[in-house]
Amino acid sequence: ADSIFLSSNSLQVHIHKKTGKIRYLTPDRHQILAESSQHLTPFITAGDSGYTVQQGFTLHPDEGIYGLGQHQNGYMNYRGKQVTLVQSNTDAVNPFLISTRNYGILWDNYSHSVFEDSPEEAGFWSKLGDGIDYYFVTGRHMDDVIGGYRHLTGTAPMYGKWAFGYWQSREHYENREELVSNALEYRRRNIPIDNIIQDWDTWEGAENWNQLFFDPVKFPRPQEMIDLLHQNNFHVMVSVWCSFGPNTNVYNEMEKRNLLLPTLGWARFKYMDVYNPEATDLYWNYLKKGFFDFGMDGWWMDSTEPDIVNANTKGATVYELERMANHHLGSFTRYLNTYTLPATESVYENQRKTSEKQRVYILTRSSFAGQQRAAATTWSGDIGADWPIFKKQIAAGVNHSMSGIPYWTFDIGAFVLGGYGGVFQNGVSDPAYQELFIRMFQFGAFCPIFRAHGSDAPRELWHYGDFTPTLIAFDHLRYRLLPYTYSLSSQVTRNHSTLMRALAMDFSHDTATYNITDQYLFGPSFMVCPVTQYMYHKPPMATVPVPPRVFKTRDGRPGLHVSYFKDTAFMVAGTVQTEAAIHLNWYESGRPGYVTDSTLSIIWEGTITPFETGLHQFQTQCYGPKRLFINGKELNDTYTGVAAFSEPIWMEAGKKYSIRLEKKNENPGAFHVELYWKTPSMLTEERQKETVAKTREVYLPKQTTWYDFWTGTSYTGGKTIEADAPIEKMPLFVKAGSIIPMGPYVQYATEKEDAPVEVRIYPGANGSFEWYEDENDNYNYENGWFATINFSWDEASQTLTLSERKGTYPGMPEKREFNVVLVNEQQGIGIAPSHVFHKKIHYTGEAQTIPLH
């Protein structure tokens, strides 16, 4: 009388007629999820109207919840947590939530949104929508649920095999010679690599920002350059933006057609309206003529939030985008999080229309629901070099993958050393930074895409002194595992699988796995346990804000005298006032009323009275250079792009020193200048040596036997162990029943396609693995041109069965040699190929069963 039941073989839905609330039930009517509250509040903004919407749910007390994209909060499980779903430099949104109770919720709203799990209920809130709109997905396991998400939003296409090799990048190669010479140096040193990236500045000057062709002086003869790299088995990716400088042809053509957004960006560029197909088609025409026709292999689509004004916070994104004029589809209030989707998807679709001979590859800084169908990898943005920031990348990448967008990476080495929370200032000469780099590199070798990048210091592997051999060893490991990784990438496309997996995905029966933030699975077999704290070299301490209590004006009042000028030459006077400290941060509410233009300069003056005697070191965090004077002497500094560390200066406690800070600015939009320091006690503390154990705790999930990859030692699951973690090793465990194909040592992904393959079997449970191969590039696989072989291990009989090969493709090796190793403490361990095998299998496509006892 009061309810409607809808039933299928796998789900029942109970709808209460009066309230409209829905309960989702198993076929035998056990509750999976239930709605608990609903709120719609009328909302009107400039150019748009609708409702602010909120939907609450009742969760089971002991379920774990994941997904929602990539966020820098360090949480793996979002129980009891709040997550703001807004794009920023280091945060990427996908409003898909997934639960250990094998369901998911796709919150179908594009505006500023929040997910929160409180003691009362869990739910979504969105600023603007036409109503409450979400999709409920359920399945037998979490892979099924992700499969349901991709059924709704699109399949992730395959990448070329080369994309799963090593990528080398830095910010940035200055010219053709630097790009090519670094690539060829890898070949000269026999270090495996497939990909070289040219970051931004393929143009000359900000007025030519993103002109979409190689500057003829800096990068002459681009066809010859790319041909040379291709001849040396490199693939090339170039950084392109959706914004253009005013001197570029693409800017002028888009402006004539009214295809640019009106707001002036931080480099005085303007972004295109990606919601207008006319704009994205024109964009592709320029990409094709300027890069693709020369053989460009991939696109680095930077700043797709879009980052109009260096919007490094979610609040700044909301503020800057929501005050923009409407675009082709409507308001940014309604479409806040979606810019990245049409930006990337239009390039994917246009390249496929142009050529099917090579698979599309896109790297981008933002994501949204459905972006997996655009062949887009998300990277975690401009992170700083520090151990806690590094650790947060694990949960960020895993949750991004579990929200259904499977390809993710991060800047190995961090984007900047001393800014964005980074603490380093001495680059590759600093053993403490070298240690962080190698631990990031080890983690990166087990990410879907393996890529080093950053500013302030080179990232090429030969710059890391005594650590270089270990870096090269993990590079070799990545390449030896390509048969495993590439086969699993086909499962992503064909069966909606996920490479980077929270432990809870495969061990949902073990609640001890739900909140682990520094372990994850790479595919079904490897449990990866990155080392996320230093063991050998203590890192520098982070600076802290210089407190207001140390500042006085020249006439003795608290604070500093601040003069604002309306030009960059400190000539045209503006507002004069007293401020408590040097802490301007005009991000989330815009500039104050007394600042009328982006062109300005500022002087802070007064005195500073330190409370300790000894060396002090200042750090000014801002974009662009500045000048800091103490007692009239300008302090030299090391500028790291977003922060400047001064030379240490001796100061006495209780003694007054004059201080003056000068800053010029011509960039539109957000702006910050903040003064930090290290006091003598901080500098002393960071120099104190500590003895740290060369181990880390590892939890081994229940009901499974685990093998140490390095030693072959087996452990029973359901306990925590102290795993060895010297600098040359990252704790790595393999699940019993795993079958791991490992290729030979190679210099690039497709070097030895028909070479013998080592097959490591980890006994203790039944297992299977589907070997996949195809032409390594192009889209013929979509028409069935690929081959598979199923490997099955029967624990009871100790036999390995290879199925009959299914499928074929042009150039397929008709014969293969598989060298089988049954892993123990003497055989099948570590990176190096085994020399003793339990069985050599000569495979010609027919089924075989091989006893190994």
Side-chain angles (χ1 to χ4, degrees):
D2 63 350
S3 302
I4 297 171
F5 277 93
L6 305 176
S7 299
S8 74
N9 291 332
S10 57
L11 185 67
Q12 285 202 1
V13 179
H14 170 235
I15 306 168
H16 194 276
K17 289 182 178 180
K18 184 176 181 179
T19 65
K21 291 179 182 177
I22 301 172
R23 291 194 300 137
Y24 301 93
L25 312 167
T26 62
D28 55 358
R29 296 196 177 185
H30 287 93
Q31 183 168 297
I32 305 171
L33 180 71
E35 294 184 346
S36 55
S37 68
Q38 300 168 332
H39 300 283
L40 289 89
T41 305
F43 180 89
I44 299 175
T45 185
D48 209 341
S49 64
Y51 297 93
T52 295
V53 299
Q54 183 269 331
Q55 174 67 63
F57 300 95
T58 300
L59 303 188
H60 194 273
D62 60 359
E63 67 183 287
I65 51 177
Y66 308 88
L68 300 178
Q70 164 205 284
H71 303 278
Q72 297 293 329
N73 46 36
Y75 304 137
M76 190 73 80
N77 181 3
Y78 285 121
R79 291 310 303 265
K81 305 297 190 296
Q82 183 184 92
V83 186
T84 298
L85 301 179
V86 170
Q87 312 281 12
S88 75
N89 184 313
T90 57
D91 298 271
V93 174
N94 188 10
F96 182 68
L97 186 77
I98 188 168
S99 167
T100 54
R101 289 178 66 80
N102 300 328
Y103 71 84
I105 301 168
L106 176 59
W107 182 246
D108 192 9
N109 187 287
Y110 309 144
S111 72
H112 175 191
S113 300
V114 176
F115 171 81
E116 183 175 10
D117 179 41
S118 70
E120 293 75 33
E121 64 178 7
F124 290 90
W125 169 94
S126 288
K127 192 170 195 175
L128 177 61
D130 293 326
I132 292 170
D133 191 358
Y134 70 91
Y135 293 83
F136 175 86
V137 182
T138 190
R140 297 163 299 164
H141 42 66
M142 294 171 82
D143 281 301
D144 269 357
V145 177
I146 290 174
Y149 158 82
R150 294 194 193 140
H151 173 75
L152 290 167
T153 63
T155 296
M158 289 191 71
Y159 290 143
K161 193 174 187 179
W162 54 268
F164 298 100
Y166 177 59
W167 297 73
Q168 183 60 65
S169 181
R170 72 161 81 161
E171 195 226 18
H172 48 264
Y173 296 116
E174 290 289 344
N175 51 44
R176 168 192 168 130
E177 172 59 28
E178 195 171 57
L179 174 70
V180 172
S181 63
N182 276 283
L184 297 183
E185 185 67 11
Y186 270 93
R187 293 287 178 247
R188 189 185 73 79
R189 292 173 178 263
N190 295 317
I191 301 174
I193 187 171
D194 268 84
N195 309 294
I196 192 81
I197 303 173
Q198 178 57 47
D199 194 5
W200 69 287
D201 219 16
T202 51
W203 52 86
E204 185 60 51
E207 66 278 4
N208 295 308
W209 188 278
N210 194 39
Q211 64 192 7
L212 299 182
F213 60 86
F214 285 109
D215 178 79
V217 175
K218 297 171 69 173
F219 294 90
R221 305 181 305 284
Q223 185 68 71
E224 178 185 276
M225 177 182 73
I226 292 176
D227 286 348
L228 175 62
L229 291 167
H230 284 169
Q231 289 160 13
N232 283 275
N233 297 294
F234 278 91
H235 289 76
V236 190
M237 183 165 71
V238 67
S239 171
V240 295
W241 296 53
C242 294
S243 53
F244 318 101
N247 281 8
T248 63
N249 292 334
V250 61
Y251 177 103
N252 292 325
E253 190 167 356
M254 289 217 179
E255 187 175 51
K256 288 177 184 177
R257 300 194 198 180
N258 197 30
L259 300 176
L260 294 175
L261 299 174
T263 300
L264 201 62
W266 56 268
R268 297 195 170 273
F269 46 52
K270 286 186 178 181
Y271 278 81
M272 68 173 173
D273 183 352
V274 299
Y275 300 97
N276 189 331
E278 185 182 350
T280 54
D281 286 348
L282 180 61
Y283 182 61
W284 172 253
N285 290 341
Y286 276 89
L287 287 179
K288 179 180 181 300
K289 182 179 178 181
F291 295 122
F292 190 69
D293 286 349
F294 294 115
M296 189 59 62
D297 300 293
W299 310 106
W300 181 353
M301 299 187 67
D302 205 343
S303 189
T304 51
E305 296 80 30
D307 180 11
I308 301 287
V309 290
N310 277 317
N312 294 324
T313 69
K314 297 178 181 184
T317 298
V318 173
Y319 173 78
E320 292 292 346
L321 291 188
E322 288 191 351
R323 69 196 188 103
M324 287 180 64
N326 285 9
H327 50 71
H328 183 69
L329 289 184
S331 71
F332 271 101
T333 302
R334 181 179 293 271
Y335 292 97
L336 180 78
N337 285 316
T338 59
Y339 188 94
T340 182
L341 182 58
T344 54
E345 191 170 22
S346 64
V347 171
Y348 172 77
E349 291 177 344
N350 276 307
Q351 181 175 325
R352 291 209 59 176
K353 290 175 186 175
T354 303
S355 173
E356 295 272 284
K357 293 182 180 179
Q358 66 186 74
R359 297 175 193 168
V360 182
Y361 184 88
I362 295 172
L363 178 69
T364 189
R365 204 168 67 183
S366 294
S367 62
F368 195 72
Q371 193 160 298
Q372 72 279 351
R373 67 180 181 257
T377 296
T378 306
W379 101 94
S380 66
D382 296 346
I383 59 173
D386 194 18
W387 288 93
I389 294 173
F390 164 40
K391 183 176 181 179
K392 289 176 181 177
Q393 303 317 299
I394 302 171
V398 170
N399 273 309
H400 182 276
S401 299
M402 289 179 67
S403 65
I405 302 179
Y407 293 113
W408 179 90
T409 185
F410 76 111
D411 288 352
I412 295 173
F415 178 63
V416 289
L417 304 192
Y420 297 138
V423 299
F424 295 92
Q425 53 185 298
N426 297 320
V428 293
S429 65
D430 184 351
Y433 175 67
Q434 293 178 350
E435 182 181 356
L436 174 65
F437 184 90
I438 197 169
R439 295 306 195 184
M440 297 178 93
F441 194 87
Q442 290 168 343
F443 168 50
F446 286 87
C447 288
I449 300 297
F450 181 30
R451 165 186 157 276
H453 174 69
S455 187
D456 311 328
R459 299 298 192 272
E460 294 79 21
L461 303 191
W462 54 84
H463 293 291
Y464 289 83
D466 293 341
F467 291 120
T468 290
T470 300
L471 295 171
I472 295 173
F474 271 82
D475 192 14
H476 278 301
L477 177 57
R478 174 71 176 202
Y479 276 85
R480 290 213 65 210
L481 288 174
L482 274 181
Y484 173 83
T485 305
Y486 191 59
S487 292
L488 292 178
S489 77
S490 79
Q491 293 293 327
V492 171
T493 298
R494 295 186 297 129
N495 294 312
H496 300 306
S497 186
T498 297
L499 270 170
M500 200 173 189
R501 312 164 66 85
L503 300 184
M505 276 192 79
D506 294 65
F507 301 98
S508 58
H509 61 274
D510 186 352
T511 57
T513 65
Y514 287 11
N515 297 312
I516 293 175
T517 61
D518 58 356
Q519 298 173 221
Y520 67 98
L521 296 169
F522 187 69
S525 298
F526 283 97
M527 182 167 66
V528 184
C529 311
V531 176
T532 58
Q533 62 181 20
Y534 75 93
M535 294 179 177
Y536 294 84
H537 303 283
K538 190 174 182 179
M541 294 185 70
T543 57
V544 298
V546 180
R549 64 189 174 97
V550 302
F551 292 120
K552 289 284 195 303
T553 61
R554 286 180 174 174
D555 55 1
R557 292 177 290 113
L560 293 169
H561 182 87
V562 189
S563 300
Y564 290 85
F565 298 86
K566 297 179 180 180
D567 64 339
T568 58
F570 306 100
M571 298 291 290
V572 183
T575 297
V576 176
Q577 61 189 34
T578 300
E579 296 176 5
I582 302 176
H583 189 79
L584 292 187
N585 201 323
W586 301 336
Y587 269 80
E588 301 192 4
S589 58
R591 301 184 180 216
Y594 54 82
V595 177
T596 57
D597 192 79
S598 296
T599 301
L600 75 154
S601 50
I602 311 173
I603 297 175
W604 290 264
E605 290 183 291
T607 65
I608 182 170
T609 305
F611 46 81
E612 293 183 30
T613 296
L615 288 174
H616 292 68
Q617 186 177 36
F618 292 92
Q619 183 196 40
T620 310
Q621 296 191 9
C622 61
Y623 287 103
K626 48 77 210 156
R627 302 178 73 189
L628 177 64
F629 300 83
I630 300 292
N631 272 2
K633 177 183 182 296
E634 183 175 1
L635 300 186
N636 296 321
D637 62 48
T638 303
Y639 179 61
T640 65
V642 291
F645 289 93
S646 77
E647 60 182 310
I649 182 172
W650 183 272
M651 303 175 79
E652 295 181 18
K655 182 177 178 180
K656 284 186 179 181
Y657 298 81
S658 68
I659 184 170
R660 177 185 173 98
L661 178 63
E662 299 177 357
K663 177 69 182 123
K664 302 176 181 180
N665 183 72
E666 292 183 341
N667 293 336
F671 178 76
H672 75 131
V673 183
E674 299 164 279
L675 188 63
Y676 289 68
W677 70 356
K678 292 181 185 179
T679 61
S681 59
M682 294 172 67
L683 290 169
T684 298
E685 183 179 346
E686 73 179 21
R687 288 193 296 268
Q688 292 174 348
K689 293 187 176 181
E690 294 180 352
T691 301
V692 180
K694 309 304 185 287
T695 62
R696 63 147 289 177
E697 284 191 354
V698 169
Y699 177 72
L700 305 173
K702 293 177 182 178
Q703 300 178 17
T704 302
T705 298
W706 294 94
Y707 286 83
D708 187 320
F709 173 79
W710 304 102
T711 66
T713 304
S714 62
Y715 299 87
T716 302
K719 61 186 178 184
T720 298
I721 65 170
E722 283 290 328
D724 286 341
I727 194 66
E728 65 272 9
K729 292 200 312 189
M730 172 181 66
L732 193 59
F733 293 84
V734 184
K735 186 173 64 174
S738 295
I739 301 172
I740 308 293
M742 299 183 71
Y745 284 133
V746 294
Q747 290 299 298
Y748 53 93
T750 59
E751 183 183 15
K752 301 175 183 177
E753 283 293 276
D754 57 353
V757 173
E758 179 180 343
V759 179
R760 294 186 183 179
I761 298 174
Y762 291 80
N766 294 335
S768 65
F769 183 84
E770 186 183 70
W771 166 281
Y772 173 92
E773 55 187 341
D774 62 14
E775 296 172 82
N776 299 318
D777 215 337
N778 76 43
Y779 287 97
N780 289 340
Y781 74 88
E782 293 182 344
N783 298 315
W785 292 99
F786 61 87
T788 61
I789 306 167
N790 192 60
F791 290 74
S792 299
W793 169 251
D794 184 88
E795 178 66 19
S797 63
Q798 297 281 286
T799 57
L800 176 67
T801 298
L802 279 66
S803 71
E804 180 182 358
R805 181 193 284 131
K806 294 181 180 179
T808 187
Y809 61 91
M812 182 186 75
E814 294 297 327
K815 300 178 181 180
R816 283 204 171 274
E817 182 177 310
F818 296 112
N819 298 320
V820 182
V821 180
L822 205 58
V823 173
N824 55 43
E825 292 184 11
Q826 286 76 44
Q827 294 173 307
I829 56 177
I831 299 171
S834 300
H835 298 291
V836 178
F837 310 110
H838 286 82
K839 191 72 175 180
K840 286 180 176 287
I841 300 174
H842 297 281
Y843 181 81
T844 57
E846 294 80 27
Q848 297 186 43
T849 298
I850 302 101
L852 295 179
H853 48 72

